């Protein structure tokens, strides 16, 4: 703690939980200025050549970083691939060369102007996720600029246990930081879906973003304290604050260890109801964590990550090999693979090239709707061939996202039947009885669950989208996030209705949205008749602890009481009180 400087507290967005202490390691982004000057007409070709040389050098550096990452983390790898693609994008390079030639300006200035044009377009975008992508353009700019100026492009090397403080961090920088064992990250910019946040969570580095001007408040070597769960950053904490948070850190570490020690205990309630806990994963690289945290299989594999950030479409073989890897590594545990859910905030190059220009993409041609169009159907067909072939090798379930009702389900099953006939004619083995299920993530599907249950093998309730479409609240829009409430009475009724329909038809029903990993919500789901939950791997131990402390009979009584309450705030208060009373070990601070 510092004697001379006062304690400063800042609230940001907590994007990766955990308490961290360390000395500030500032990464300045504004120290590098692009020099600007006019050039003689004779020098134009030389400047263009300088630019291309710097781009080639940047490309090589990124390829090197990727080489090191390839086997370690898929998502970082794809983000860096996307940066390499940007390096060769005509909108950037062509425009920069155009400025150099037409306005007789140096390469650095030409590049800066091209980047500013692209930033201007991004600034107009309402979608938070896409707007944040403008930072990727800046990261690419900075790397090329460093090469143009002959400045150091080497990896960041903060001392171990430092808290990295930056305006924003490039995914390439963040991906290297975990190896340097930093204690935590804080940034001025960023939202929950920024790449820094995604990577920090994947590497379990406590992180707070969206702090606005923390880089102006912090000085190198200041002592910094982060509470990544609560989104709190304290600069120069007093002795009393440090001891309070050391205590909390000890409590969280002990709670984490206790929860982890329950890894091999069954997820069974006090009145002997067996609950299945599965993991949601975005790639096979997340499987080890899923198993380590005690998941009993994969309840949701989001295959769209095989498309995002890849210039080439995954073909049948890639889908087959990926599914096979999942089946092999799960060694008999179930693997539920969801066909690609692209569109809205999840874009792939083929979709960007189609330039759909939708006013409301979340309500537009996304997900299964895309798969049933001329554009998406051949790609869907390839995926189904790969998945069906893999079904011959283990317990694979195929799940379809964003099904609106029975007509759409039948249309999808007709495509599956076509693929089966094709494979049979070619003599290629597959499981003819492979389980086909659907995500229930639209009110239209939830309200017709009894009809849908007659025509598919399982349900998985995607509450992330079900909340979005029920509450009419964009799930990535911070202005209306106060309405994004899993315990709204409407959601309780919808989920209860879906559970009843599935149980009456005798088909399994899982909840796989983020609310499945919320310890306060878990007893409500049990009381509504849900017996399978799928969540981020890191949440599995805490949910298991809640389940082992819960009695389904009590949870049902609790649900009867909350059904009479008119607001989410009242429901949350009653449920929180219940969870506190049953007293399972909790990792995060209790509210
Ligand atoms: C959901 O909508 O709840 C879900 C699990 O799918 P995703 O978050 O990928 O849309
Ligand atoms: Mg969804």
């Amino acid at each position: 703690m510092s004697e001379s400087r006062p304690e400063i507290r800042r609230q940001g967005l907590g994007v990766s939980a955990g308490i961290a202490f360390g000395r500030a390691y500032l990464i300045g982004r504004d120290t590098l200025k692009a020099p600007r000057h006019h050039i003689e007409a004779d020098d134009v070709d030389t400047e263009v050549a300088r630019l291309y040389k710097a781009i080639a050098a940047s490309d090589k550096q990124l390829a090197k970083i990727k080489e090191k990452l390839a086997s370690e983390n898929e998502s970082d790898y794809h983000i860096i691939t996307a940066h390499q693609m940007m390096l060769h994008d005509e909108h950037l390079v062509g425009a920069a060369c155009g400025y150099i030639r037409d306005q007789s300006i140096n390469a650095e200035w030409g590049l800066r102007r091209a980047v500013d044009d692209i930033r201007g377009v991004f600034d107009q975008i309402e979608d938070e996720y896409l707007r944040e992508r403008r930072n990727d353009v800046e990261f690419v700019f900075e790397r090329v600029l460093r090469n143009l100026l002959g400045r150091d492009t080497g990896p960041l090397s903060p001392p171990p246990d430092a808290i990295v403080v930056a305006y924003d961090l490039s995914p390439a920088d963040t991906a290297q930081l975990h190896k340097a064992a930093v204690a935590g990250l804080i940034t001025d910019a960023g939202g929950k879906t920024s790449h820094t946040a995604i990577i920090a969570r994947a590497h379990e580095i406590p992180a707070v973003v969206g702090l606005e001007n923390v880089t102006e408040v912090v000085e190198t070597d200041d002592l910094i304290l982060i509470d990544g769960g609560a989104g709190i950053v304290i600069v120069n904490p007093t002795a009393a604050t440090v001891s309070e948070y050391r205590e909390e850190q000890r409590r969280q570490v002990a709670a984490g260890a206790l929860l982890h020690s329950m890894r091999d205990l069954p997820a069974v309630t006090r009145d002997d109801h067996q609950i299945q806990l599965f993991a949601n994963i975005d790639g096979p690289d997340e499987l080890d964590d899923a198993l380590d945290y005690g998941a009993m299989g994969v309840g949701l594999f989001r295959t769209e990550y095989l498309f995002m950030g890849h210039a080439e479409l995954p073909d049948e073989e890639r889908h087959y090999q990926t599914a096979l890897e999942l089946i092999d590594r799960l060694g008999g545990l179930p693997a539920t693979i969801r066909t690609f859910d692209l569109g809205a905030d999840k874009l792939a190059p083929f979709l960007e090239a189609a330039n759909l220009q939708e006013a409301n993409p979340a309500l537009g041609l996304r997900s299964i709707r895309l798969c049933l169009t001329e554009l998406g159907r051949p790609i869907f067909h390839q995926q189904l061939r790969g998945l069906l072939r893999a079904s011959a090798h283990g317990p694979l379930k195929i799940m379809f996202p964003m099904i609106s009702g029975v007509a759409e389900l039948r249309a999808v099953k007709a495509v599956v039947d076509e693929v089966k006939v094709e494979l049979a004619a070619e003599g290629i083995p597959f499981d003819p009885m492979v389980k086909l299920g659907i995500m229930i993530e639209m009110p239209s599907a939830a309200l017709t669950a009894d009809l849908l249950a007659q025509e598919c093998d399982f349900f998985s309730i995607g509450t992330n989208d079900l909340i979005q479409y029920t509450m009419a609240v964009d799930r990535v829009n911070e202005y209306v996030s106060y309405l994004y409430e899993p315990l709204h009475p409407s959601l309780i009724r919808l989920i209860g209705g879906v559970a009843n329909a599935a149980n009456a038809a005798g088909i399994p029903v899982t909840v796989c949205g983020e609310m499945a990993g919320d310890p306060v919500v878990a007893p409500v789901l049990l009381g509504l008749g849900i017996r399978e939950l799928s969540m981020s791997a890191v949440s599995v131990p805490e949910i298991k602890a809640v389940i082992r402390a819960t009695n389904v009979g009590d949870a049902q009584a609790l649900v009867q009481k909350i059904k009479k309450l008119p607001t989410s705030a009242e429901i949350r208060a009653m449920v929180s009180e219940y969870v506190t009373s049953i007293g399972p070990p909790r990792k995060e601070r209790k509210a």
Side-chain angles (χ1 to χ4, degrees):
M1 69 230 77
S2 158
E3 301 304 329
S4 52
R5 304 191 66 220
E7 174 176 296
I8 304 167
R9 286 182 183 239
R10 284 293 161 101
Q11 178 72 52
L13 269 175
V15 294
S16 183
I19 308 275
F21 297 84
R23 295 278 166 195
Y25 179 82
L26 271 143
I27 298 175
R29 299 192 61 229
D30 48 5
T31 47
L32 201 63
K33 295 256 187 294
R36 301 172 177 206
H37 56 260
H38 285 279
I39 53 171
E40 299 295 326
D42 287 353
D43 291 334
V44 161
D45 287 341
T46 315
E47 284 303 290
V48 169
R50 273 185 70 228
L51 179 61
Y52 274 106
K53 202 170 152 205
I55 287 171
S58 305
D59 199 7
K60 257 196 189 157
Q61 289 152 3
L62 289 175
K64 252 198 183 151
I65 295 175
K66 250 176 39 171
E67 234 170 68
K68 286 196 203 130
L69 288 173
S71 57
E72 294 182 31
N73 187 298
E74 281 226 344
S75 47
D76 305 2
Y77 184 89
H78 301 324
I79 292 162
I80 295 167
T81 305
H83 284 191
Q84 283 181 292
M85 283 160 64
M86 248 181 244
L87 277 176
H88 302 287
D89 190 316
E90 265 311 287
H91 292 106
L92 186 67
V93 187
C97 291
Y99 278 125
I100 297 171
R101 287 189 195 286
D102 302 343
Q103 315 217 345
S104 302
I105 56 178
N106 64 331
E108 290 88 342
W109 195 358
L111 183 66
R112 182 68 255 175
R113 293 194 64 169
V115 168
D116 285 345
D117 291 347
I118 296 173
R119 271 195 74 109
V121 175
F122 275 101
D123 285 342
Q124 307 297 317
I125 296 176
E126 278 184 23
D127 182 288
E128 183 194 348
Y129 179 86
L130 290 179
R131 213 172 43 239
E132 280 176 13
R133 302 286 76 76
R134 69 181 167 217
N135 296 334
D136 293 75
V137 186
E138 283 293 341
F139 297 138
V140 170
F141 166 72
E142 189 164 329
R143 182 169 292 278
V144 180
L145 186 60
R146 282 187 181 276
N147 280 301
L148 274 168
L149 297 172
R151 298 282 283 269
D152 183 23
T153 52
L156 298 170
S157 48
D161 299 330
I163 302 280
V164 170
V165 185
Y167 170 76
D168 201 354
L169 282 169
S170 77
D173 285 343
T174 315
Q176 290 173 46
L177 280 180
H178 77 283
K179 291 190 182 155
V182 293
L185 309 175
I186 59 175
T187 62
D188 289 344
K192 286 223 181 228
T193 62
S194 71
H195 283 132
T196 305
I198 294 166
I199 294 173
R201 267 199 298 278
H203 299 314
E204 298 182 43
I205 303 173
V208 180
V209 305
L211 288 154
E212 293 179 359
N213 66 346
V214 76
T215 48
E216 287 163 26
V217 174
V218 171
E219 286 173 21
T220 295
D221 277 343
D222 275 348
L223 183 63
I224 311 257
L225 194 162
I226 302 179
D227 182 342
I232 293 171
V233 169
I234 304 172
V235 186
N236 299 310
T238 62
T241 305
V242 169
S243 94
E244 178 200 336
Y245 275 86
R246 287 258 183 241
E247 187 55 37
E248 174 59 13
Q249 187 182 41
R250 271 192 289 275
R251 198 197 64 74
Q252 286 191 12
V253 170
L258 175 64
L259 290 166
H260 198 259
S261 71
M262 297 168 62
R263 185 184 173 280
D264 297 320
L265 295 177
V268 66
T269 63
R270 291 208 335 267
D271 48 351
D272 260 353
H273 288 265
Q274 178 73 44
I275 310 299
Q276 303 292 328
L277 299 184
F278 301 123
N280 294 345
I281 62 167
D282 296 339
D285 60 317
E286 292 177 25
L287 258 182
D288 286 343
D289 269 356
L291 295 171
D292 186 45
Y293 280 114
M296 296 305 291
V298 167
L300 167 65
F301 175 30
R302 294 179 165 101
T303 57
E304 50 276 11
Y305 286 91
L306 299 172
F307 296 75
M308 291 158 70
H310 288 266
E312 280 189 16
L313 281 171
D315 58 6
E316 173 184 332
E317 194 56 24
R318 174 107 162 91
H319 289 299
Y320 172 64
Q321 291 297 345
T322 307
L324 215 53
E325 182 180 351
L326 208 61
I327 291 169
D328 276 357
R329 289 176 60 190
L330 283 172
L333 296 174
T336 305
I337 302 196
R338 177 175 79 182
T339 58
F340 65 86
D341 181 8
L342 288 167
D345 58 337
K346 293 185 219 158
L347 294 176
F350 84 92
L351 251 184
E352 283 169 301
N355 200 13
L356 294 173
Q357 306 278 0
E358 296 177 288
N360 291 302
L363 302 179
L365 194 58
R366 60 169 287 208
S367 199
I368 204 70
R369 303 164 180 196
L370 177 65
C371 296
L372 297 173
T373 60
E374 225 173 284
L375 172 65
R377 174 110 177 213
I379 305 167
F380 187 45
H381 190 96
Q382 292 274 309
Q383 180 169 38
L384 287 175
R385 278 185 63 100
L387 295 182
L388 279 166
R389 281 172 54 198
S391 72
H393 301 277
L396 176 74
K397 296 177 172 187
I398 303 178
M399 179 156 80
F400 303 104
M402 284 278 292
I403 294 288
S404 61
V406 171
E408 212 160 29
L409 171 58
R410 288 185 183 159
V412 170
K413 285 172 70 182
V415 182
V416 175
D417 286 341
E418 255 174 51
V419 177
K420 283 184 177 174
V421 168
E422 205 176 88
L423 290 174
E426 293 169 32
I428 298 175
F430 62 92
D431 174 7
M433 303 303 286
V434 61
K435 300 277 184 245
L436 302 178
I438 61 172
M439 303 268 306
I440 302 281
E441 46 188 350
M442 294 160 72
S444 63
L447 294 168
T448 54
D450 55 332
L451 306 173
L452 287 161
Q454 302 305 316
E455 306 200 21
C456 66
D457 299 316
F458 64 94
F459 285 163
S460 192
I461 309 178
T463 49
N464 303 339
D465 277 315
L466 188 60
I467 299 169
Q468 154 163 278
Y469 294 123
T470 303
M471 302 297 295
V473 47
D474 183 343
R475 61 194 260 194
V476 294
N477 184 332
E478 71 269 29
Y479 300 115
V480 285
S481 59
Y482 68 97
L483 282 169
Y484 195 91
E485 178 45 83
L487 288 176
H488 191 272
S490 59
L491 268 305
I492 307 262
R493 286 165 199 226
L494 284 174
I495 295 169
V498 175
N500 289 343
N503 293 336
I507 64 167
V509 53
T510 308
V511 170
C512 69
E514 288 301 305
M515 79 189 265
D518 180 342
V520 172
V521 174
V524 177
L525 297 176
L526 298 193
L528 287 169
I530 301 289
R531 298 290 177 266
E532 297 184 5
L533 301 169
S534 192
M535 63 203 74
S536 300
V538 69
S539 303
V540 168
E542 196 164 18
I543 296 299
K544 188 189 281 184
V546 174
I547 286 166
R548 292 177 59 83
T550 301
N551 186 310
V552 167
D554 292 349
Q556 284 164 339
L558 177 71
V559 163
Q560 287 317 312
K561 281 196 218 155
I562 62 173
K563 275 188 173 165
K564 298 194 185 104
L565 297 177
T567 66
S568 359
E570 287 159 280
I571 295 175
R572 191 166 277 279
M574 185 179 280
V575 180
S576 298
E577 199 179 310
Y578 171 76
V579 175
T580 306
S581 76
I582 60 175
R586 298 274 300 277
K587 189 143 180 248
E588 296 301 306
R589 252 181 228 256
K590 289 176 193 168

